[in-house]
Amino acid sequence: MKKTAIDQLGFLIHDTGRLLRRHFEKRGQEYGLSSAQWRLLVRVVREQNPTQARLAELMEIEPISVSRLIDRMEQGGWVRRCAHETDRRVNRVVPTDKSLSAYSAIKAVAADVYEEAMAGVDEDMRAALISALTLMVGNLSSDETATTPPNVEQQAAS
Amino acid sequence: MKKTAIDQLGFLIHDTGRLLRRHFEKRGQEYGLSSAQWRLLVRVVREQNPTQARLAELMEIEPISVSRLIDRMEQGGWVRRCAHETDRRVNRVVPTDKSLSAYSAIKAVAADVYEEAMAGVDEDMRAALISALTLMVGNLSSDETATTPPNVEQQAAS
DNA sequence: CTTGTTTAATAAGCATGCTTATAATATATG
DNA sequence: CATATATTATAAGCATGCTTATTAAACAAG
């Protein structure tokens, strides 16, 4: 039945994520950017010099994780911490020239990895995949409180 | 177009995995099992006392990661390392009574988290999701070497 | 102005993954 | 038997996430 497949959903998503990360890092390692660093850089470029707190919010990770990611990225010459104009508590995170010039190349690598991963997955299935994942992120983000909304068929242990 | 959605695939899968893990750990923390420990325990029970090397192979993580996971699980009373009958290099990993009695309860928690995540995702979409992820895992596991032969379906190594 | 609260960033320490290296044991070969 | 190679587990050290606690600055209220 499908039930057995659902049991493996967590494993599947975990594995897919791990494999994507692994491939991206292998392909992107000539640039010296890890996948976490790449995710952060995308936000920095898109948001135009966000603060660390803003990055934590966008990436849904803790501020301390951002802080340490940026430690390493600053060391690697990818971003700089710049003082905020008015608020002396705040750092703006600014991409370096190195980041800006590598950006499109690395973006192409990412797109390439995605296409490699999606070989043999037709358009309909891609659309369904993305819709399903988007729904799931919504379900899991929103109801930090609720437990079991509308039509759940929860299965006990099998 | 769809291209923009594909760009976000990595982010989506990453987020979904992170959120699933977070929910599972919140719900399962009364048992004191993390999600990595849970994944390992499932293998241990299914495989009937596998060796650490076998676990590393099954979970596709490094032997050293297994070793340290088991360090903590042994401390937590979830598994024991038992000497192999003939090969003195080898440890068999054996679930404790505590594991066996908690197993179905935790399995139910996992199933519950999956259902919560999948609320509003209909049967067709679930099937497509699982098929797509399975294909992706295949693509990313098999071709550790190739780069992007157009629409590949090579299943070289397993 | 002083006191208290909130916010931004960091520190300390843990879990889980990784890579690279080592120790102990098994096995294969001269 | 002795030596070379495999395999199993572990060690050391790093990256990235977490929780909890701290520091510095901003802001609000008396």
Side-chain angles (χ1 to χ4, degrees):
Chain A
M1 299 287 191
K2 304 236 175 58
K3 293 299 179 189
T4 53
I6 289 290
D7 275 359
Q8 296 188 319
L9 181 61
F11 289 84
L12 261 178
I13 289 183
H14 181 263
D15 287 348
T16 311
R18 182 171 44 81
L19 287 166
L20 275 175
R21 194 183 332 115
R22 197 183 273 178
H23 276 245
F24 177 82
E25 294 192 342
K26 194 198 296 173
R27 295 279 307 276
Q29 79 188 11
E30 60 184 292
Y31 299 97
L33 260 190
S34 74
S35 97
Q37 292 174 358
W38 170 241
R39 280 196 304 280
L40 187 140
L41 184 56
V42 168
R43 310 290 194 177
V44 167
V45 170
R46 283 198 190 143
E47 283 276 314
Q48 298 277 23
N49 312 343
T51 65
Q52 293 187 197
R54 175 69 179 147
L55 281 169
E57 183 191 334
L58 286 168
M59 300 176 71
E60 295 184 79
I61 62 179
E62 298 306 310
I64 179 61
S65 304
V66 172
S67 186
R68 300 212 296 174
L69 251 180
I70 292 178
D71 283 349
R72 286 173 229 111
M73 293 181 73
E74 203 167 27
Q75 251 183 294
W78 294 104
V79 297
R80 290 193 323 276
R81 285 169 163 104
C82 296
H84 190 279
E85 312 78 50
T86 59
D87 189 334
R88 274 185 300 165
R89 294 169 306 178
V90 172
N91 291 329
R92 289 199 176 283
V93 181
V94 179
T96 58
D97 289 345
K98 172 179 171 182
S99 284
L100 296 173
S101 52
Y103 191 82
S104 9
I106 304 180
K107 194 167 175 179
V109 167
D112 207 35
V113 170
Y114 296 153
E115 281 305 328
E116 186 182 347
M118 300 281 269
V121 181
D122 65 37
E123 277 305 318
D124 286 350
M125 213 182 267
R126 290 181 190 207
L129 170 67
I130 288 175
S131 304
L133 291 174
T134 305
L135 276 169
M136 292 176 72
V137 169
N139 288 337
L140 295 171
S141 301
S142 56
D143 75 9
E144 294 285 313
T145 50
T147 310
T148 314
N151 33 346
V152 188
E153 307 127 50
Q154 66 211 111
Q155 44 211 154
S158 69
Chain B
M1 306 299 282
K2 304 237 173 62
K3 291 298 178 188
T4 53
I6 289 290
D7 275 0
Q8 297 188 318
L9 181 61
F11 290 82
L12 261 177
I13 290 182
H14 181 265
D15 287 348
T16 312
R18 181 171 45 80
L19 288 167
L20 275 175
R21 194 181 333 113
R22 196 184 275 177
H23 277 244
F24 177 81
E25 294 192 342
K26 193 196 296 174
R27 295 279 306 276
Q29 80 189 7
E30 62 185 290
Y31 298 98
L33 260 189
S34 75
S35 97
Q37 292 175 358
W38 170 241
R39 281 196 304 279
L40 189 140
L41 184 57
V42 168
R43 311 290 193 176
V44 167
V45 171
R46 283 197 192 144
E47 283 276 314
Q48 297 278 23
N49 312 343
T51 66
Q52 293 187 196
R54 174 69 179 146
L55 281 170
E57 184 192 332
L58 286 169
M59 300 175 72
E60 295 184 79
I61 63 179
E62 299 306 310
I64 178 61
S65 303
V66 173
S67 186
R68 299 213 294 176
L69 252 179
I70 293 178
D71 282 350
R72 285 174 231 111
M73 292 180 73
E74 204 167 27
Q75 250 182 294
W78 294 105
V79 296
R80 289 192 324 276
R81 285 167 163 105
C82 296
H84 190 278
E85 311 77 52
T86 60
D87 189 334
R88 274 186 299 165
R89 294 169 306 178
V90 173
N91 292 328
R92 289 199 175 284
V93 181
V94 180
T96 60
D97 289 346
K98 172 179 170 182
S99 285
L100 296 174
S101 52
Y103 191 82
S104 6
I106 305 180
K107 194 167 175 179
V109 167
D112 205 36
V113 170
Y114 296 153
E115 281 305 329
E116 184 182 350
M118 300 283 268
V121 181
D122 64 37
E123 276 307 317
D124 287 351
M125 212 181 269
R126 291 182 189 207
L129 170 67
I130 288 175
S131 304
L133 290 175
T134 305
L135 277 169
M136 291 177 72
V137 169
N139 289 336
L140 295 172
S141 300
S142 56
D143 73 12
E144 294 284 313
T145 51
T147 311
T148 313
N151 14 352
V152 208
E153 254 125 299
Q154 67 204 135
Q155 244 84 2
S158 66

